[in-house]
Amino acid sequence: MITIADVAKKANVSNMTVSRVINNAASVSDNTRQRVLVAMEELHYVPNSIARSLISGRTNTIGLIIADMTNPFFTTMARGAEDAAHQHLHRLILCNHDDDIDKEREYIEALISARVDGMIITPASDDSAKNLQIVQRHRIPFVFVDRIVNSINADHVVGDSSTAAYDLTAHLLRQGHRNIGLISGPLNIHTARERMKGYETALREFDIEIRRELIHSLPYSLHEDKTLLGVELSIQSMFRQSPKPTAIFAFNNALAIQALHALRKAGLKSPDDVAIACFEDVDPHGLLQLEISTACQPAYTFGEQGVHMLFERIKNPDKPYETVTLQPRLTLRGASINNR
Amino acid sequence: MITIADVAKKANVSNMTVSRVINNAASVSDNTRQRVLVAMEELHYVPNSIARSLISGRTNTIGLIIADMTNPFFTTMARGAEDAAHQHLHRLILCNHDDDIDKEREYIEALISARVDGMIITPASDDSAKNLQIVQRHRIPFVFVDRIVNSINADHVVGDSSTAAYDLTAHLLRQGHRNIGLISGPLNIHTARERMKGYETALREFDIEIRRELIHSLPYSLHEDKTLLGVELSIQSMFRQSPKPTAIFAFNNALAIQALHALRKAGLKSPDDVAIACFEDVDPHGLLQLEISTACQPAYTFGEQGVHMLFERIKNPDKPYETVTLQPRLTLRGASINNR
DNA sequence: CATGTATATGTTAACGTTAACAGAAAGCGT
DNA sequence: ACGCTTTCTGTTAACGTTAACATATACATG
């Protein structure tokens, strides 16, 4: 490997002079600077960031911990984060925890060991608290995106889940739906709880009884082998109840997609037989005109803002925590039902 | 920051003994080991990977350079790579070059400086050659995935683009289509050239004239502001020709989606008015039954295999280069056309 | 009991870079 | 010419870890 010493030897100067040229620090004569630059060029010298990091204590690296980069919501968020990190001349280390706190801990420990300058975290669940305490203990700045953990104080960028869930539910209610099946995420995840609140608030406001048998909690994750059967069983179970649901509200895109499949399999058509509402976009390119009502969160902004907040935090570790709540974009579809 | 020295002091041993416990090397008495472990625990010691890397020359990090993680094809590939890297106890640094060789070079230089143990690269275009020479010069092992650059020898995992393009084209021809509009990618990208070959071979075999006015080359990228208008103009132009195309073949999912939009805007229905074929899945969840014929590449495997090959290469830098060609999964749809 | 061998621990230097200080040379005012 | 500042370059030590070597103790062998 070519080191500063090789360059120094070739240019007939000391290591320090080369270092000064690299960091174009003050007071190197033009003559010397040229000689050094030529030597660097000829040897194809590239500074060793590792050695630099060891001294500076900074790695120009941030960790991004998300649930699953295969989900377009997280992908878009990650892209926003990557672009922002790039602007700050930082690189992104990507980690998928699949909503599994053990995997999350593994990654967190690896990132601490790698001495990342900060982390952007979508926590796996409320049980992530002890993982996050490890991060705090090491004074590594981090920002929550999409999800928070109540017991942990930190900057965060989240969507207004409860309001959007309320709006979607109210929309369905206004269309005349009185029995709305709920495919929720795990209730130890903040967003699922918030969305549940919105759903319940809307029902109460419309004086509709909350029917527990129409509420099913399932993993958010898209991994079909695990979830598909779950959603299918849930849908089947809901449609064995009486009265049957006339609408389904799924708490994210993955669950909505599984629900759509299950409904099709059960011979039910959307929107004719069942109205559907969900969080996130199921058809980002607008190809299928599915007539689904959605609350689409600005995922790119989540990632982008999260990174900017992280750098603010790094710059000023002691400032009060900041909270950014972004409004999901609502797309309300479907028509009133005629007394089925 | 807690260092090995702090632990050593607390446990009343030398740094070296702590180091031995961490790496559970031989010959540390049970008594001492326990004392050290307790001290580590109490101080929440986490080894500094940076310092380790400086000595070992390895960073347990690999760089993944792709076009755009927002495209589900690359996302899935990246996920495959991440899972495989995780298995090898390595972390992934993610880079999007957006098919821009300058951005690609920037990332490559950053990754070299970061002393990644290897790279997985989808090159931006044939012009990437000089970027890749930089990587080679630094003896950093790398593997091509999805795309290759002819002038650069390296391990690679690619799809059989020419055969699949031939198959899709032949399928359209067998259905009676005689004027097939082509929305190609940039011809300085290997996959686009291969797909073009497949298309031309099929036409020649069926003795159909190749009509250059039905062939348009556009950026692969999904960034709508740039591409959308391009595809729309191309479609409009094709349909001003005589005879008009009765089928469109797009070289990737992003282009197919733009083409669909353009066709809709032009009041044309698929598959009734125009048959569509493309590479990659446009509707991965099978929600819309678009009647599009697709050649879907095993993206996850691209990433997974790529990483495994990379580690083989790292283990054995001098072995002959390996080539893996995976067959896209064909889904042929649509019916014969009745002499329009 | 002297010798050899295994086991346990410590010391030193090195990885590649830069911060902090030191020194040399050059320029300048009087 | 003298001292003083400015400009340029070099030396040393440090970042946190580990490889390589050194030392010390215990234990077995004839």
Side-chain angles (χ1 to χ4, degrees), chain A residues 47-58, chain B residues 50 53-54 113 115:
Chain A
N48 185 328
S49 297
I50 300 293
R52 280 181 167 179
S53 295
L54 189 58
I55 292 184
S56 68
R58 314 192 67 244
Chain B
I50 300 292
S53 294
L54 189 58
S113 181
R115 299 299 192 260

Side-chain angles (χ1 to χ4, degrees), chain B residues 4 16 19 23 45 48 52 55:
Chain B
I4 245 186
M16 204 49 220
S19 176
N23 301 285
Y45 170 74
N48 185 329
R52 280 181 168 179
I55 292 185

Side-chain angles (χ1 to χ4, degrees), chain B residues 164-239:
Chain B
Y166 170 88
D167 290 341
L168 285 177
T169 311
H171 170 68
L172 292 172
L173 291 169
R174 261 182 252 110
Q175 292 187 321
H177 297 283
R178 288 297 170 263
N179 298 283
I180 303 174
L182 203 64
I183 307 285
S184 164
L187 292 174
N188 63 353
I189 295 181
H190 184 257
T191 52
R193 273 198 311 279
E194 289 295 305
R195 290 167 198 184
M196 185 71 85
K197 273 188 215 161
Y199 169 79
E200 291 179 343
T201 307
L203 287 190
R204 265 195 294 273
E205 208 164 273
F206 279 71
D207 254 322
I208 311 289
E209 168 206 21
I210 293 172
R211 295 175 58 199
R212 292 291 154 199
E213 70 273 22
L214 294 187
I215 297 182
H216 287 236
S217 260
L218 292 160
Y220 265 145
S221 139
L222 191 73
H223 291 287
E224 278 120 34
D225 32 334
K226 289 189 219 153
T227 317
L228 180 52
L229 199 63
V231 173
E232 200 175 331
L233 290 175
S234 292
I235 293 285
Q236 286 169 0
S237 151
M238 287 178 192
F239 280 86

